[in-house]
Amino acid sequence: MSSPYQTRRRIEFRDTDAAGIMHFSAFFTYMEQAEHEMLRSVGLSVMQPDGETTIGWPRVSATCDYKGAVRFEDIIDISVAVVHLGSKSVRYRHEFRIADRVVAVGEIVAVCCRIDDRHQLASIEIPAPIRERLTRHAV
Ligand SMILES: CC(C)(COP(=O)(O)OP(=O)(O)OC[C@H]1O[C@@H](n2cnc3c(N)ncnc32)[C@H](O)[C@@H]1OP(=O)(O)O)[C@@H](O)C(=O)NCCC(=O)NCCSC(=O)c1cc(O)c2ccccc2c1O
């Protein structure tokens, strides 16, 4: 049975603002890192060599709702779930929790792209072996 990927972070000082709480922009870097870690856990890379080119995942949408303040040195549990697998795109939902309290929920849509040696992007259908691995964290 598939379930969200779970990881944990301690909030760094550099990620907090003058109000003493985690800056809104920092949630996106935590989401990105958690997603990349999830991909590694299923044997993938966000920059996957494929012959002469690379398969990568540029983002076309990123949102986050903030429900409670997060502070320096808080321990946050981050879950990463695949909530939609399209033909070329994947939508991830990230839940941030302190203990059992949800403090933020973010979503990111990434598009499967072939990246050539001139860094040109061309969207492609998600290859079957990659799709199969992504479904391991589908909900
Ligand atoms: C990415 C693009 C080249 C795609 O353009 P294209 O025209 O080919 O795509 P489609 O319009 O056909 O859509 C494909 C697919 O995506 C869905 N979709 C598109 N837009 C949205 C949206 N706003 N919200 C939700 N879904 C959307 C669409 O419905 C289709 O779904 P299917 O599943 O049905 O196929 C082109 O869009 C482009 O170049 N965009 C700009 C990308 C960009 O510059 N993003 C900002 C920075 S990217 C970034 O930060 C980044 C982070 C990483 O972690 C990376 C990791 C690895 C590699 C690259 C990374 C990266 O760039």
Side-chain angles (χ1 to χ4, degrees), residues 22-41:
M22 181 146 128
H23 193 252
F24 78 95
S25 64
F27 287 82
F28 292 92
T29 54
Y30 283 68
M31 283 192 258
E32 183 179 40
Q33 284 177 356
E35 172 208 323
H36 292 190
E37 187 180 300
M38 178 278 284
L39 292 173
R40 284 193 295 275
S41 79

Side-chain angles (χ1 to χ4, degrees), residues 32 36 46-47 56-61 84 86-89 91 109 111 113 115 121-123:
E32 183 179 40
H36 292 190
V46 78
M47 288 290 278
W57 298 87
R59 279 89 240 282
V60 289
S61 173
H84 178 73
S87 63
K88 297 176 169 181
S89 70
R91 179 182 292 270
V109 181
V111 175
C113 283
I115 305 172
L121 305 174
S123 64

Side-chain angles (χ1 to χ4, degrees), residues 68-133:
V70 177
R71 295 185 169 79
F72 174 53
E73 290 189 331
D74 278 348
I75 302 287
I76 49 170
D77 291 306
I78 308 170
S79 67
V80 185
V82 172
V83 292
H84 178 73
L85 256 182
S87 63
K88 297 176 169 181
S89 70
V90 55
R91 179 182 292 270
Y92 297 107
R93 180 173 301 137
H94 304 257
E95 261 190 18
F96 295 77
R97 291 176 185 267
I98 297 177
D100 283 335
R101 189 166 51 93
V102 176
V103 289
V105 179
E107 291 201 347
I108 289 184
V109 181
V111 175
C112 190
C113 283
R114 194 168 292 289
I115 305 172
D116 68 20
D117 55 4
R118 290 175 299 116
H119 297 135
Q120 296 300 306
L121 305 174
S123 64
I124 58 169
E125 293 201 353
I126 301 170
I130 295 179
R131 178 178 293 278
E132 184 279 317
R133 287 169 191 239

